[in-house]
Amino acid sequence: MSQLLTPPAVPVAILNFFASQPDFPAVAGDISEEFQQRAQTSGPQAARRWYWHEAFRNASALTWRELMRTPVRTTLIAFGCFLAANLAIDLYAFLRYYPLPALSIFNDLRHKGLNYLVNFIAYVATGWIAGRLLRGREWAITLTFTVVSVCLVLPGMWFVFFETLNPFPPSWREFVIVGNLVRIGAFWLGSLGIRHLRIRQGRVIKPAPGAPRIAL
């Protein structure tokens, strides 16, 4: 039985992630055309292996190009988002808990859960704003924000875990680790959510009309 040969779903999804880039239709068209040609000459399995390789190669090149389009502006926006979100969280904590001692907050499960939620909301919001400010470069701002966050947070974590003379309680250390993971994950959700919506409304890779049928 013959049927239309379609590229593997996962590498197609990887390439579609860059559908907002200006020359995406040309890149996708070239890859799809050669995929069909290789399927005819080398067989479906070889064509699929080639498609996986090309998807990752092009994704790396497109990622680098997206990062290099406006690196200074992207870094400044990432840094600004980090500061803005932390300022909002600190202001909430001050208004909500003052004059409670900071460490006592982390020992109360109700307070800790609420703080996780506030962190999540603040970073989803800043990620969404960053995605709006850098339309078409949401992936670049997400990666840059992650690098900026790690560079800013790691020194403080090193001090808390290894340099302080009075060890902090395990509940506080847990909050530091989990809280930072929640922050980065929430920012990814906010910024890449914008990208996902734009991709759904834009261009995606589809089988070419009239593509040859390959016997499987």
Side-chain angles (χ1 to χ4, degrees):
M1 180 180 178
S2 296
Q3 62 183 27
L4 183 66
L5 184 66
T6 56
V10 173
V12 166
I14 292 173
L15 288 176
N16 281 334
F17 186 71
F18 299 92
S20 60
Q21 296 208 6
D23 58 350
F24 175 79
V27 173
D30 291 343
I31 294 176
S32 296
E33 182 179 352
E34 186 165 351
F35 172 74
Q36 295 297 337
Q37 293 175 354
R38 286 177 176 267
Q40 294 181 76
T41 58
S42 304
Q45 294 303 320
R48 290 191 179 98
R49 287 193 297 269
W50 173 87
Y51 197 95
W52 274 92
H53 176 269
E54 285 299 296
F56 281 107
R57 186 180 70 82
N58 281 277
S60 299
L62 292 170
T63 295
W64 179 252
R65 187 176 67 178
E66 189 171 321
L67 285 168
M68 291 298 102
R69 283 179 63 186
T70 53
V72 175
R73 183 186 178 195
T74 302
T75 302
L76 290 176
I77 291 177
F79 185 71
C81 286
F82 182 87
L83 292 182
N86 277 281
L87 180 62
I89 293 167
D90 292 342
L91 180 61
Y92 163 80
F94 177 79
L95 296 176
R96 173 70 174 78
Y97 297 114
Y98 182 82
L100 290 177
L103 290 181
S104 68
I105 298 172
F106 301 105
N107 293 323
D108 190 315
L109 292 179
R110 295 172 300 172
H111 294 329
K112 187 161 59 174
L114 186 58
N115 274 276
Y116 284 142
L117 178 61
V118 170
N119 274 266
F120 180 82
I121 293 173
Y123 277 89
V124 167
T126 52
W128 184 85
I129 293 171
R132 299 283 293 181
L133 291 174
L134 288 174
R135 292 176 64 86
R137 284 164 291 177
E138 298 88 356
W139 181 227
I141 186 62
T142 301
L143 293 178
T144 305
F145 174 83
T146 303
V147 172
V148 168
S149 296
V150 170
C151 291
L152 293 175
V153 167
L154 278 182
M157 293 182 67
W158 177 269
F159 175 79
V160 168
F161 293 146
F162 302 108
E163 298 297 333
T164 182
L165 298 178
N166 298 315
F168 288 93
S171 59
W172 199 89
R173 296 189 177 197
E174 173 199 334
F175 183 81
V176 170
I177 296 173
V178 176
N180 281 294
L181 293 176
V182 168
R183 292 176 178 186
I184 293 175
F187 189 92
W188 279 57
L189 180 63
S191 59
L192 296 185
I194 291 289
R195 190 182 187 102
H196 177 70
L197 291 175
R198 293 186 66 232
I199 290 173
R200 290 194 63 181
Q201 297 170 359
R203 301 176 292 268
V204 295
I205 298 176
K206 297 180 181 179
R213 295 181 178 273
I214 309 298
L216 301 179

